[in-house]
Amino acid sequence: MVMDTIQGERERLPIFKAKSEIIAAVRQSKTSIFVGETGCGKTTQIPQYLLEAGFAKHKCIGITQPRRVAAITIATRVAQEARTEIGSKVGYSIRFETVTSAATKIKFLTDGMLLRESISDNLLLEYSVVILDEAHERTLFNDLLLGIAKKAQHIREEKKLMPLTIIVMSATLEAKHIAKYFDNAPIYTIRGRDYSITLLNPLKPLENYVNSALLTVFQIHQNEEEGDILVFCTGQEEIDQLVSDTERTALELPIGIGRVHVCALYAALPGEKQTDAFKPAPPGTRKIIYATNIAETSVTIPNIKYVIDTGKVKAKYFNPTCGYDVLRIQNISKAQAEQRAGRAGREFDGYCYRLYTKQQHEKFKDQTEPEILRCCLSSAILQMVAMGINNIKEFDFIDKPPKENIEAAIKLLTILNAVVDDDGKLELTECGKKMVVFPLDPRFSKMIITSTKYKCTDEILSIISLLCVESVFYTTISEREKFNEVKKKFESAVGDHIMLLNIYKQFKKFKGNVPWCKENYINFRNMKKAMAIRKQLSELSAKIGIAPCSTLCNIKIRKCLASGLFMNVALLHENNTYKLVESNQEIKVHPSSCLFKKRNLTCVIYTELVQTSNVFMRFVTYIPEEMLLCVKPKYFKDKACRLATKKPIAFVSNCY
């Protein structure tokens, strides 16, 4: 009975009427572009149509997604529709987790995972069809995959191997731009969605979009018929504040107005709280979900009738001169606005309340700016070189990245001894060949390789694993003071990386006890994920001959951290301010760091820089200047700073 219901739902999708035309279109062209409205069913149905039509007799159909959560949830839904267990005929592959088998014919992957697969299989021979979904998001890895798939398709044709069919799809897309890139490939439009969406705009600009979002939520709740509300926000802090304000305001509502159930949805949220957004609200209650753009594509939250679109998003931009990411809140694109509105029309007629005027909307960019034009390229370029793409500047990018971004990435990889640059032709070094084994930032890979020198592999793997998850802590605004007190038991006098190691050791000591995690504000789901990541990193280390070893000496651990982070160094100057060695940029320690209130730490290393109101260092560790010089004397020799005047001292004893 359940399966009959699912089959009925499939047949009611707008795309079902075009099934035969879609199959015919894919047969006629080696590359096809499908543009279909949100909710038409393209992501879940097209892979199944192709499987039924025989496109995966000997190989697999691969479908990329920009986010892990989308790859998992869509694969699970398609497996249910195909009447199979997840991991059997339908599976998925995300970083540090693969649920597939020899029987898998439809495989959902994050775009980063397909890119990693292309290192060992640059012709993508495992696949008969590659579907690049959500192309309008223009993620870095998706853009690279456009070029890699195009090249693989051409070489397979030249060598008379099994043809590779490429499908590019999205709800909104610069279709002509993509079509031109693929030699004027045909564009097909899938018309219609099941339900209509009414767009509502204010008559004049609103002063504060956060306050306006809260006001609109309660206007809908008090005046409109039942149906849940989805509000698009820019990030965790904004969401936590709105959740708190909504719960407080709901207590003051007049008697007779229904109750509300408030949920948050963002990547760093613990798993059980993420799933809360997808569960039905209690009877007689309206669910209100505050979400980042994680809810913008592919992932469908049931029962959404009202969408509130703030028109804002937090985007990351790489500054190649200073070597840091700038996080800034900016207007969304028209394509994103269309995607957000589409979340309201999935199960019934919906409404989208846009917190910007029609005139403001007209000034939005048509499409989201490609990530490849605004991000750090070091990880991507290392993978490209591993695929045999030696001349990065000559690669057939759909949109070529800025020259300075490419040069900054090559400089970092060269200093890390990952590549050698022979007049524009890049080759992997022996160290680089080991580094590319790890699905990590090249600086982290370098630390793992160097950990054998300092006999601290176990500790470095633990620290990196925790850096790979969104956040090891979780707290709400109302519990912030208590959390700050509890957090002190894990803090280290030398910094955040050793604090992470302390958390890992305590989590292991208490065997991941859930009550212990709640008591200490530890994100249980992310810690379990970190443990799984650590296990895989340990296995990858063993493959390249790195044996487990451990130390109690945190000097060795810090020197190993510096072997990857030596370009991330800041020196203390007058007025208790820090300046970057690399660019002399003035920066601050992030308030979340356990070194935030420490004074007179003359030299620190950090994992990342972000710019919000100021430029902040995140994950900061104190390291004496002399110790740093022992790690990379040649690099600092010519730096125009006080490090260049010091003499390296060998730290052998006094481990603390």
Side-chain angles (χ1 to χ4, degrees), residues 2-13 41 43-45 48 69-87 90-92 106 108 298-300 302 346-347:
V2 174
M3 293 315 302
D4 291 341
T5 304
I6 289 175
Q7 185 58 32
E9 288 174 0
R10 290 186 67 195
E11 292 178 6
R12 282 193 296 273
L13 289 168
T43 300
T44 56
Q45 301 309 303
Q48 295 184 76
V69 67
I72 296 169
T73 53
I74 298 166
T76 304
R77 173 64 186 185
V78 171
Q80 189 181 21
E81 291 183 2
R83 308 186 185 206
T84 183
E85 293 292 319
I86 188 72
V90 180
Y92 66 85
I106 297 177
F108 288 87
S298 297
V299 177
T300 299
R346 303 304 294 260
E347 297 173 87

Side-chain angles (χ1 to χ4, degrees), residues 66-67 134-139 296-297 368-371 374:
R67 295 179 184 85
E134 306 297 357
H136 84 281
E137 290 205 21
R138 299 300 305 273
T139 65
E296 202 173 279
T297 56
T368 305
E369 185 178 5
E371 186 183 6
R374 54 182 173 83

Side-chain angles (χ1 to χ4, degrees), residues 450-632:
T450 311
S451 67
T452 55
K453 174 182 176 182
Y454 296 109
K455 309 295 182 190
C456 60
T457 301
D458 290 349
E459 289 75 21
I460 289 297
L461 290 179
S462 300
I463 292 167
I464 289 174
S465 300
L466 268 64
L467 287 170
C468 284
V469 297
E470 286 286 343
S471 174
V472 295
F473 289 119
Y474 173 72
T475 186
T476 58
I477 291 172
S478 60
E479 296 180 299
R480 195 64 54 84
E481 283 188 26
K482 188 178 175 185
F483 162 70
N484 289 335
E485 283 301 311
V486 171
K487 182 185 170 190
K488 287 177 182 176
K489 70 171 76 171
F490 303 110
E491 291 181 350
S492 163
V494 296
D496 301 320
H497 297 95
I498 303 301
M499 180 183 72
L500 291 177
L501 184 59
N502 293 340
I503 294 168
Y504 172 83
K505 288 176 178 177
Q506 288 296 305
F507 182 83
K508 206 171 174 190
K509 177 183 174 182
F510 287 93
K511 298 180 180 177
N513 179 281
V514 175
W516 177 85
C517 287
K518 286 186 177 179
E519 180 187 325
N520 290 282
Y521 298 93
I522 299 295
N523 187 324
F524 175 77
R525 175 174 172 265
N526 283 357
M527 285 301 298
K528 291 293 285 184
K529 191 188 295 183
M531 298 291 275
I533 290 171
R534 192 190 184 286
K535 183 174 182 288
Q536 290 203 30
L537 291 179
S538 182
E539 290 168 355
L540 291 172
S541 298
K543 281 184 181 179
I544 58 172
I546 296 177
C549 54
S550 184
T551 182
L552 295 174
C553 176
N554 81 33
I555 283 180
K556 291 181 179 180
I557 297 168
R558 286 188 283 161
K559 289 174 82 171
C560 188
L561 289 168
S563 71
L565 300 176
F566 58 86
M567 289 182 74
N568 296 8
V569 176
L571 297 175
L572 186 66
H573 287 258
E574 62 222 6
N575 301 324
N576 208 42
T577 60
Y578 285 96
K579 289 186 179 180
L580 297 177
V581 167
E582 188 67 23
S583 64
N584 211 36
Q585 166 82 36
E586 190 171 300
I587 54 174
K588 296 183 177 182
V589 176
H590 196 276
S592 64
S593 171
C594 60
L595 298 186
F596 178 59
K597 293 183 179 178
K598 300 285 183 184
R599 297 292 180 263
N600 302 320
L601 301 179
T602 56
C603 181
V604 295
I605 54 173
Y606 58 87
T607 298
E608 64 180 358
L609 288 179
V610 292
Q611 182 177 5
T612 50
S613 54
N614 291 288
V615 181
F616 290 107
M617 298 181 279
R618 294 188 72 239
F619 299 108
V620 187
T621 288
Y622 166 61
I623 183 164
E625 295 163 64
E626 294 83 358
M627 190 193 299
L628 191 63
L629 278 165
C630 290
V631 175
K632 208 74 178 175

